[in-house]
Amino acid sequence: MVTMILFVYAMIINMIAVVTMKVDKHQAKKSQWRVPEKRLFFLALFGGAMGIYIGMKRYRHKTKHVTFTIGIPTIIILQIALILFFIVT
C-alpha cells in the first residue's frame, strides 16, 4: 500500500514538474511572468527532479544554467541513492 502511494506521488509530482517547465518556457518566450527558480528546485527536491530534467531536455529550457545542468542530475542521483538505501535496509 505504501509503495503504491509513493509511486502515485512520484508520478504526480513529476508531471507537475514537466508542466511547470513547459509553462516557464512559454512565459520566457513571451517575456512574461516567470516561474521562480526556487520553485523549480523545490519541485526537484521533493521528488520531481526527473520531471524537471525531462522538461529541461524536452523544451530546451534552463539548459545553459549550471545550477540546473549540474544540480538537477545531482538531485536525481541522491534520490536514487536514498531509494536504494531504503530498499536495502
Side-chain angles (χ1 to χ4, degrees), residues 15-62:
M15 285 190 288
I16 290 169
V18 171
V19 169
T20 304
M21 288 295 280
K22 181 179 181 178
V23 167
D24 192 45
K25 176 65 175 194
H26 180 72
Q27 295 294 82
K29 284 181 174 180
K30 294 172 30 178
S31 297
Q32 293 185 345
W33 175 87
R34 303 284 303 280
V35 176
E37 289 186 0
K38 278 184 178 181
R39 186 167 303 149
L40 298 173
F41 273 102
F42 177 83
L43 285 170
L45 287 171
F46 285 91
M50 190 56 72
I52 295 290
Y53 186 77
I54 290 167
M56 284 173 57
K57 296 298 182 178
R58 183 168 192 177
Y59 304 113
R60 291 188 215 136
H61 189 50
K62 303 281 187 192

